[in-house]
Amino acid sequence: MNLAQIFTDLVFFSFAAILVGSALMTIISRNPVRSALFLVLAFFAATGLWILLEVEFLGLILILVYVGAVMTLFLFVVMTLNIDVEEQRSSFVRYLPFAIVIVAMLVILMVYVISPGHLNPSELTTTGGQPVNYSNTTELGMVLYTDYAYPFELAGILLLVAIIAAISLTFHGKGNNKTQNPDQQILIRREDRIRMVKMQGDKK
Amino acid sequence: MFNDLLLILWIIIKIIVIVVPLLLGVAYLTFFERKVIGLMQSRIGPNRVGPWGLLQPIADVLKLLTKEIIIPSASNRYLFVIAPMLTITPALAAWAVIPFSQGMALANINAGVLYLFALGSLSVYGVLVAGWASNSKYAFLGAMRAAAQTISYEIAMGFSFVGILLAAGSMNLQDIVLKQQGGFWHWYWLPLLPLFVTYWISGVAETNRLPFDVAEGESEIVAGFHVEYSGITFALFFLAEYINMIMVSTIAALLFLGGWLSPFEGIPLLGPLFAWVPGIIWLFLKIGGFLFLYIWLRATFPRYRYDQIMRLGWKVLIPVTLVWVVVVSLGVEFKIAPWFI
């Protein structure tokens, strides 16, 4: 076993340990802000693993989209909300049946996907198996815009619908908000706002 | 085994060769900034420490290093200490992929632009965490402002990167620079002019520099997110801000102004005359120009009002970039010379 192999293993196991640990901390942490930050750490570790598998495009997009945008907004909301953790804990038992059903479904899905019939370990490429000029981005683009063109466009439409729904929920028509009109604002002259008054006491 | 160790040592030497000049550059960028703003405002600027005040940044660093670090008693201690590190780490890590000249990069990776963009989007975390962990109203307000602003301008910045990717057909920074070969008029600033302007404005906004420095806003919220920080912890925020400034300038030079390529390339008399100048000098000159622009902006404009920042980001820059991405794709499709061959 050469040094490069040892290094790869070391990187893999440390990222894997960080991923599992921070995912655990996300659910058991009492403070919601800390939970969100641990989730960020989990995304990071996942990125590390993906880059180890030479899928740098997916890894970097994970950082860009989830860490850079989604989690920032998430933190933004969580920080401004004053969430009472104790109150949430009291309803823990009430939601437990739903949680168990969801977890059971997830476990079944995982078992189905990772079963030998679908995921053959011998077919998986190990790290460092790709040629030097291999570009994950090109490969992904080729697959995405040929084999999966329709699902890709469908996903796009789904997001568009979500955007329109979100806007229509929060937008109450033009007259009801206090929007500034920049065209009018830049037309303001000094004479509109200031009146020069001569005071008698000024002359001495 | 021995060769592997040698490789690691070589990489470490390369990292030192990048980081040490970078830190010195930051120190003298602050000096340059104070001098330039001083001259712009008919003052002299720092001139007491050393000849022409040249040792001023060293004195500033020593002073910051010797100050006491105060951790507010009601703060979240752990996050409070970790926030400056969260700011400085991505700022330094981004330099790994920057090519300083042909073949002169620590890591020449294929997804270079994406890597830079991903790390750039992380810079807001230090600010957010610092603002929240300080447990102070002003710091929190600064953090919230920074988060909203960064998110808004990241989109415009992303679209200007998309334009570059379309034009160059690659995410590798070296390929992008080499695609611009052929002299001043072949660089991407001309065909991508709206994206260039958008990138620059978003870059200034991302680094929280004037006129977009609502996250600090001295006159409104004291010093924003780092109001509770002192000594070296404050210095780390300061350092990260200036490293990010240099970073944004470097990316602008690489993507839009031909990186290390000579501006006189292809001109009959001047081209051969300046052919001996190493590429890295041109790159540094271009970076310096952008840094001067940063300082010039700071000395010229008052701070933007918050709603105006949001308006500029969402209603002006994003539509402009969206339209221009379509224009660029048409240009690439019909192979408009000399840029999209």
Side-chain angles (χ1 to χ4, degrees):
Chain A
M1 197 183 252
N2 59 351
L3 204 65
Q5 187 62 43
I6 296 172
F7 183 70
T8 316
D9 284 355
L10 195 74
V11 171
F12 173 77
F13 282 112
S14 34
F15 275 123
I18 294 171
L19 177 58
V20 174
S22 55
L24 262 178
M25 286 304 288
T26 307
I27 36 178
I28 60 176
S29 181
R30 282 172 169 268
N31 190 325
V33 174
R34 282 199 173 192
S35 282
L37 287 172
F38 272 116
L39 190 54
V40 170
L41 188 61
F43 282 140
F44 252 103
T47 298
L49 289 179
W50 264 349
I51 287 179
L52 204 63
L53 285 172
E54 302 189 0
V55 281
E56 75 275 358
F57 183 79
L58 289 180
L60 290 172
I61 284 289
L62 181 73
I63 293 231
L64 190 62
V65 175
Y66 281 92
V67 178
V70 174
M71 287 313 289
T72 316
L73 290 176
F74 212 82
L75 267 178
F76 190 92
V77 174
V78 168
M79 281 177 177
T80 40
L81 291 177
N82 197 7
I83 297 172
D84 192 352
V85 183
E86 287 311 310
E87 199 179 299
Q88 280 188 327
R89 279 189 194 248
S90 63
S91 55
F92 181 74
V93 181
R94 219 176 70 204
Y95 291 124
L96 199 60
F98 298 104
I100 289 173
V101 169
I102 291 170
V103 168
M105 273 155 62
L106 276 175
V107 167
I108 291 169
L109 266 177
M110 292 288 269
V111 168
Y112 182 71
V113 169
I114 311 178
S115 65
H118 290 90
L119 201 74
N120 194 352
S122 59
E123 281 177 8
L124 295 177
T125 49
T126 46
T127 57
Q130 308 293 356
V132 180
N133 58 355
Y134 168 79
S135 170
N136 168 242
T137 317
T138 324
E139 294 285 314
L140 198 73
M142 286 307 234
V143 175
L144 207 57
Y145 294 110
T146 52
D147 294 354
Y148 294 94
Y150 287 125
F152 184 67
E153 282 175 9
L154 266 178
I157 289 171
L158 203 66
L159 285 175
L160 185 68
V161 170
I163 292 174
I164 293 171
I167 292 174
S168 59
L169 277 176
T170 48
F171 186 65
H172 301 294
K174 249 196 160 154
N176 297 332
N177 50 16
K178 294 174 179 166
T179 331
Q180 312 262 7
N181 188 351
D183 300 338
Q184 277 187 333
Q185 283 183 334
I186 55 168
L187 286 177
I188 285 293
R189 292 283 163 268
R190 191 190 66 180
E191 292 75 34
D192 302 337
R193 297 280 168 88
I194 300 174
R195 188 164 52 96
M196 300 298 278
V197 184
K198 264 228 149 49
M199 299 290 284
Q200 273 196 329
D202 282 353
K203 287 176 186 169
K204 272 186 184 171
Chain B
M1 186 79 183
F2 181 71
N3 277 339
D4 287 338
L5 280 178
L6 213 63
L7 186 71
I8 292 171
L9 192 72
W10 178 230
I11 292 173
I12 290 172
I13 290 172
K14 277 193 203 168
I15 292 174
I16 292 171
V17 168
I18 293 175
V19 170
V20 171
L22 183 66
L23 295 184
L24 271 178
V26 168
Y28 279 91
L29 179 58
T30 62
F31 178 73
F32 181 64
E33 179 176 27
R34 289 168 72 181
K35 272 282 184 198
V36 169
I37 291 186
L39 290 171
M40 283 179 177
Q41 298 170 346
S42 303
R43 296 183 284 111
I44 297 173
N47 67 343
R48 293 287 128 175
V49 192
W52 307 289
L54 272 175
L55 294 180
Q56 182 70 44
I58 312 288
D60 288 343
V61 169
L62 283 178
K63 184 187 163 195
L64 276 173
L65 283 176
T66 49
K67 290 279 177 187
E68 184 191 356
I69 301 172
I70 299 163
I71 298 177
S73 52
S75 68
N76 194 325
R77 264 184 99 85
Y78 186 66
L79 289 178
F80 188 83
V81 176
I82 222 168
M85 302 177 204
L86 283 180
T87 325
I88 192 89
T89 315
L92 282 176
W95 287 91
V97 297
I98 295 292
F100 294 97
S101 185
Q102 178 129 26
M104 263 173 75
L106 183 61
N108 181 16
I109 63 171
N110 274 333
V113 174
L114 203 60
Y115 174 82
L116 285 179
F117 193 40
L119 282 179
S121 70
L122 292 182
S123 60
V124 70
Y125 271 90
V127 176
L128 257 179
V129 171
W132 185 78
S134 300
N135 202 5
S136 148
K137 285 188 187 70
Y138 295 122
F140 189 62
L141 278 173
M144 291 291 111
R145 286 177 175 197
Q149 181 180 317
T150 314
I151 288 279
S152 313
Y153 280 83
E154 225 161 56
I155 302 169
M157 198 184 230
F159 274 118
S160 56
F161 282 150
V162 168
I164 284 284
L165 301 188
L166 279 173
S170 167
M171 290 202 292
N172 184 314
L173 286 163
Q174 271 197 46
D175 288 354
I176 291 174
V177 173
L178 290 178
K179 276 272 166 89
Q180 303 179 51
Q181 228 153 15
F184 188 66
W185 301 104
H186 288 68
W187 296 347
Y188 283 148
W189 68 270
L190 189 60
L192 305 181
L193 191 62
L195 298 184
F196 178 36
V197 175
T198 307
Y199 170 75
W200 181 248
I201 296 173
S202 326
V204 176
E206 290 266 295
T207 42
N208 288 327
R209 293 287 299 177
L210 270 159
F212 300 101
D213 72 333
V214 287
E216 287 176 39
E218 291 88 347
S219 51
E220 308 149 27
I221 49 173
V222 204
F225 62 94
H226 57 52
V227 64
E228 303 290 345
Y229 283 86
S230 60
I232 190 69
T233 50
F234 166 74
L236 284 181
F237 279 118
F238 198 72
L239 197 63
E241 181 181 326
Y242 279 79
I243 292 176
N244 279 331
M245 274 169 71
I246 305 178
M247 191 70 204
V248 166
S249 307
T250 312
I251 298 175
L254 285 173
L255 297 187
F256 295 99
L257 285 190
W260 62 81
L261 300 175
S262 158
F264 302 117
E265 204 179 329
I267 300 174
L269 205 63
L270 287 169
L273 200 64
F274 284 96
W276 57 272
V277 180
I280 196 164
I281 302 281
W282 293 122
L283 182 65
F284 283 166
L285 280 177
K286 287 165 192 171
I287 297 173
F290 280 115
L291 287 173
F292 178 75
L293 202 57
Y294 254 117
I295 296 165
W296 194 5
L297 282 175
R298 181 181 161 179
T300 311
F301 291 118
R303 187 174 301 128
Y304 252 105
R305 214 173 58 203
Y306 186 73
D307 65 303
Q308 288 173 334
I309 291 186
M310 286 300 146
R311 183 175 166 273
L312 179 70
W314 289 98
K315 292 190 175 173
V316 180
L317 295 184
I318 293 178
V320 165
T321 50
L322 277 176
V323 169
W324 210 256
V325 163
V326 175
V327 173
V328 172
S329 5
L330 286 177
V332 173
E333 181 63 33
F334 294 111
K335 299 196 182 342
I336 293 177
W339 308 291
F340 312 118
I341 311 158

